[in-house]
Amino acid sequence: MLDFDVAQSRLAAAGKPPSISESCTLDQARGRVLAQTLFATVDMPPADNSAMDGYAINYADYTPGKRFPVQQRCYAGDPAQPLQKGNSIRLFTGSVIPEGADTVVMQEDGAEVDNEFEIHRPPAQGSHVRPQGEDVHAGDQIVAKGTLIQAAQIAMLASQGYAEVTVYAPLKVGILTTGDELIQPGQPRSPEQIYNSNGPMLAAMVENMGAKVVHLLHAADTEESLHSAFSTLLASCDLVITVGGVSVGEKDLVKPVIGQLGGSLDLWRVCMKPGKPVALAHSGTTPIVCLPGNPVSAFAVFTLLVSPLIRTMQGRTQVVPDVQYGRLSTDRKFNDKRDDFLRVRAEYSSDGLSRLSPFTQQGSGIISSLPWASGFARVPANTVMQGGDVVAYYDFQHWLA
Ligand code: AMP
Ligand code: MG
């Protein structure tokens, strides 16, 4: 059996980073991977400005009870006059700090009477001033090459005036589900049939990662059907993911068909539960990853083993999931010949280690464990683990988002 971590690093290295990049507008950039490291063009904020609605003064002019004539009302976006000695300038949040002023007194700490501001509470020098460059200095790195662009990165890029960015071409992924027992949701179902849940699930997982599902196909358990699906997928995809039909039953035809197509295939019995049979093949340079059919196995293998490959091929810098630690919270005992990736829900605990409660049913067909859980707790092979034990935790809710 292949060690889980070895399988993970082999898959992470089974594809090539992208070579094609293109320009895209910032409003099209969500979900794309940045192909160049970007730097700040200006200080942020670009000038000292006010953090409050209030009055700018020079602190040296302050004495208790003194009234400051209001020299200007300077709204956010207005140019400020230089502050004259003993005066104040009315400011609003985001107004620039006038030359000669160093302190903002918030309006609640005084009152304006007859165009003069009287201070009721002694100010602290420099208060409520957001200094130029307190956030970012011109020249600072703001977003690194290989970062998936999400709302936070878009805020950063927009604040620096970037209207276009260079991103990698989206990774084109093909998904193939297999099985004579499966029908598509929405179709009438006979008693021996089940709905195809892996197809929509994997498509959603791929799209969530910022890759593009160019084909979502289904093949019957026949060589002809599989052949025809593979020829469509291999003609237009950078990566092919198949699910089901990859064990050793007589209807498990995915492996022989890949062989007939000239693909070189490794069938791994990965030391993980759920998800033991995983196959990796290459047709030319296109990786083909074959996942087990049970929905929870397909979900786990995708999360832990396929997402690193996708991330590598997307050009992302972080490719393997973060591992945290948590404490099992259960009255059960877990022990298996393979590393067991339990579906657990993590809850905050005051001792600093999350409390990890396993779902009641841990079978590889228990789809209801997936929307319930927040991640996987890893119980190492041939190890008895019980409530209170510290285990590795893979937070898939965040990893897959
Ligand atoms: P297989 O690996 O093809 O033997 O499938 C293992 C189990 O997963 C069987 O119970 C299948 O019915 C089920 N399964 C396979 N593919 C899917 C799918 N796309 N959606 C839901 N269940 C599936
Ligand atoms: Mg099958």
Side-chain angles (χ1 to χ4, degrees):
M1 249 195 289
L2 185 63
D3 176 71
F4 168 79
D5 297 286
V6 172
Q8 191 181 60
S9 46
R10 279 200 198 161
L11 267 162
K16 289 203 169 36
S19 52
I20 302 171
S21 55
E22 59 197 30
S23 169
C24 101
T25 58
L26 194 61
D27 57 350
Q28 298 288 314
R30 189 188 63 81
R32 306 294 298 271
V33 178
L34 196 64
Q36 55 176 163
T37 295
L38 291 175
F39 299 88
T41 56
V42 290
D43 287 347
M44 241 350 251
D48 293 356
N49 73 47
S50 179
M52 288 286 174
D53 293 335
Y55 294 80
I57 61 163
N58 181 353
Y59 182 79
D61 294 341
Y62 172 76
T63 48
K66 178 175 158 29
R67 291 184 163 200
F68 290 78
V70 180
Q71 177 191 323
Q72 183 198 2
R73 306 188 83 77
C74 180
Y75 297 98
D78 287 350
Q81 299 168 1
L83 181 71
Q84 283 155 33
K85 187 161 173 46
N87 280 356
S88 67
I89 289 181
R90 173 72 166 129
L91 296 186
F92 301 86
T93 306
S95 299
V96 290
I97 303 292
E99 189 191 317
D102 63 357
T103 299
V104 174
V105 182
M106 58 179 190
Q107 65 186 47
E108 293 86 343
D109 287 347
E112 188 179 326
V113 182
D114 297 334
N115 214 34
E116 290 188 335
F117 183 59
E118 189 181 85
I119 298 175
H120 297 158
R121 182 191 295 207
Q125 186 170 17
S127 57
H128 309 309
V129 173
R130 300 194 285 218
Q132 174 176 345
E134 75 165 354
D135 181 4
V136 166
H137 286 108
D140 286 353
Q141 177 177 313
I142 51 166
V143 187
K145 175 176 168 175
T147 305
L148 183 76
I149 301 173
Q150 302 280 44
Q153 287 74 28
I154 288 181
M156 199 70 199
L157 295 167
S159 74
Q160 286 293 328
Y162 285 101
E164 282 198 357
V165 289
T166 304
V167 294
Y168 291 117
L171 182 71
K172 291 180 281 180
V173 179
I175 298 171
L176 174 62
T177 60
T178 65
D180 290 340
E181 74 281 30
L182 298 169
I183 53 158
Q184 303 307 324
Q187 300 298 307
R189 193 184 63 82
S190 59
E192 53 288 339
Q193 293 178 312
I194 59 167
Y195 289 117
N196 182 343
S197 54
N198 286 339
M201 173 186 83
L202 291 169
M205 294 174 101
V206 167
E207 295 270 351
N208 255 347
M209 293 183 66
K212 204 174 159 71
V213 176
V214 291
H215 289 290
L216 174 53
L217 302 182
H218 183 73
D221 291 322
T222 64
E223 292 196 1
E224 304 72 58
S225 183
L226 287 165
H227 261 287
S228 122
F230 271 115
S231 49
T232 305
L233 294 168
L234 290 170
S236 53
C237 300
D238 305 318
L239 166 68
V240 173
I241 300 171
T242 76
V243 59
V246 79
S247 3
V248 290
E250 58 205 58
K251 285 278 192 179
D252 289 327
L253 298 169
V254 170
K255 203 182 146 195
V257 168
I258 292 174
Q260 288 158 25
L261 288 164
S264 54
L265 185 134
D266 289 322
L267 180 64
W268 299 338
R269 312 203 74 79
V270 181
C271 181
M272 70 182 289
K273 183 186 154 192
K276 180 164 61 174
V278 178
L280 171 66
H282 283 89
S283 168
T285 56
T286 310
I288 305 171
V289 191
C290 308
L291 311 186
N294 278 308
V296 177
S297 307
F299 184 94
V301 172
F302 182 94
T303 304
L304 298 166
L305 300 181
V306 182
S307 72
L309 170 59
I310 291 180
R311 282 177 170 238
T312 298
M313 296 183 79
Q314 288 180 300
R316 289 168 74 170
T317 33
Q318 191 194 352
V319 300
V320 297
D322 289 322
V323 181
Q324 297 156 26
Y325 289 87
R327 206 181 284 287
L328 278 179
S329 171
T330 177
D331 50 20
R332 299 163 64 188
K333 283 193 170 136
F334 296 92
N335 177 17
D336 198 273
K337 290 193 184 64
R338 293 176 274 158
D339 286 17
D340 203 350
F341 289 86
L342 305 172
R343 273 69 65 213
V344 297
R345 188 182 272 185
E347 273 150 343
Y348 173 78
S349 168
S350 54
D351 70 2
L353 280 174
S354 299
R355 220 170 327 114
L356 307 174
S357 311
F359 194 67
T360 41
Q361 293 187 76
Q362 290 288 335
S364 57
I366 307 297
I367 302 176
S368 49
S369 66
L370 299 178
W372 182 88
S374 58
F376 297 114
R378 179 177 180 179
V379 174
N382 303 311
T383 310
V384 181
M385 288 274 182
Q386 57 194 358
D389 289 340
V390 174
V391 290
Y393 173 65
Y394 297 74
D395 174 346
F396 60 65
Q397 263 176 356
H398 288 103
W399 177 247
L400 294 170

